[in-house]
Amino acid sequence: EPEVTQTPSHQVTQMGQEVILRCVPISNHLYFYWYRQILGQKVEFLVSFYNNEISEKSEIFDDQFSVERPDGSNFTLKIRSTKLEDSAMYFCASRADANYEQYFGPGTRLTVT
Amino acid sequence: EDQVTQSPEALRLQEGESSSLNCSYTVSGLRGLFWYRQDPGKGPEFLFTLYSAGEEKEKERLKATLTKKESFLHITAPKPEDSATYLCAVRKGTASKLTFGTGTRLQVTL
């Protein structure tokens, strides 16, 4: 069964450093998302991406964040200068065109020290 | 303001003891209510989508229902492997993003 994959599973970085989180969405999906979940809190939407551009973003997704689809399979989230409060689990999700069911990857645990 | 509230926060059941989880929402222009299962340290796993009041969906021991104000996830004769956090999420209007509730942490014991 096709699934969303994410790398790395765990990333530790120092405050102020740049990180790139990587995702490989399900191959025939066209819509891509990033969500995050701070420990013990709800899953929060960050950004959605379709046709090589951002279609929606939340207030969390400020200038420190960017997304890119550098090739036909990868979808990345970059945080330019990480802060302690960026520590969270980051989930990538994708969906097909026909319905709104989003399928999530296993997540990347980002720890900022 | 749109809100998604799940109750209870935590639920402990014995194997075979059926129960229901609640997701109440105040969202204008609901375009779908989604149920996910999340195991510790893992990503949400899609279970169901419900689009209109009165709709029901079933999968194994789980059955999801939807009214104009809330959704229920009924668990019939649960097993220990059903232990997880169950999340509900809504989609509204033309947006495709999902807004999640805080989840119900279910533990099923022998």
Side-chain angles (χ1 to χ4, degrees):
Chain A
E1 186 176 322
E3 58 183 22
V4 177
T5 59
Q6 291 185 242
T7 54
S9 57
H10 190 191
Q11 173 98 44
V12 181
T13 190
Q14 288 193 327
M15 197 166 49
Q17 295 297 304
E18 175 184 286
V19 294
I20 297 176
L21 310 183
R22 291 184 166 80
C23 167
V24 179
I26 294 172
S27 63
N28 63 339
H29 285 187
L30 301 176
Y31 298 80
F32 314 114
Y33 304 82
W34 285 100
Y35 292 80
R36 78 173 186 189
Q37 186 176 31
I38 295 170
L39 189 64
Q41 297 187 23
K42 62 176 71 175
V43 177
E44 301 175 286
F45 168 78
L46 293 178
V47 66
S48 61
F49 192 85
Y50 170 71
N51 201 24
N52 281 320
E53 59 183 32
I54 291 173
S55 43
E56 301 170 70
K57 61 182 181 178
S58 72
E59 57 272 14
I60 302 169
F61 193 89
D62 61 21
D63 292 344
Q64 292 301 309
F65 291 87
S66 62
V67 289
E68 192 179 31
R69 188 154 164 83
D71 54 44
S73 58
N74 291 283
F75 180 50
T76 62
L77 174 70
K78 181 194 290 186
I79 309 175
R80 287 191 200 19
S81 178
T82 50
K83 304 174 187 148
L84 294 175
E85 53 265 37
D86 292 329
S87 294
M89 196 78 160
Y90 287 80
F91 295 110
C92 172
S94 69
R95 71 170 177 94
D97 191 24
N99 59 51
Y100 288 89
E101 298 166 5
Q102 295 181 25
Y103 292 86
F104 285 74
T108 292
R109 178 166 298 286
L110 177 65
T111 302
V112 183
T113 61
Chain B
E1 184 186 328
D2 297 335
Q3 284 200 335
V4 181
T5 305
Q6 291 189 246
S7 61
E9 284 187 18
L11 180 63
R12 187 183 171 106
L13 299 174
Q14 287 201 318
E15 185 175 14
E17 181 186 359
S18 302
S19 188
S20 296
L21 282 52
N22 177 264
C23 171
S24 64
Y25 59 92
T26 52
V27 172
S28 55
L30 182 77
R31 291 292 180 266
L33 186 139
F34 302 77
W35 282 99
Y36 285 84
R37 169 190 170 127
Q38 186 176 28
D39 292 302
K42 302 284 179 62
E45 176 190 342
F46 173 76
L47 294 173
F48 304 109
T49 311
L50 302 165
Y51 288 105
S52 53
E55 190 175 357
E56 298 183 352
K57 294 241 176 110
E58 282 189 72
K59 180 180 178 180
E60 296 180 356
R61 295 177 292 282
L62 301 177
K63 178 178 167 182
T65 62
L66 181 65
T67 73
K68 288 187 178 178
K69 294 182 181 179
E70 58 193 348
S71 176
F72 291 94
L73 185 65
H74 307 277
I75 303 178
T76 302
K79 298 182 177 182
E81 53 262 41
D82 295 321
S83 298
T85 296
Y86 290 85
L87 305 175
C88 103
V90 299
R91 178 187 156 250
K92 62 174 281 186
T94 57
S96 65
K97 70 176 186 181
L98 298 180
T99 300
F100 281 83
T102 49
T104 292
R105 198 168 57 254
L106 173 67
Q107 185 181 14
V108 182
T109 58
L110 292 170

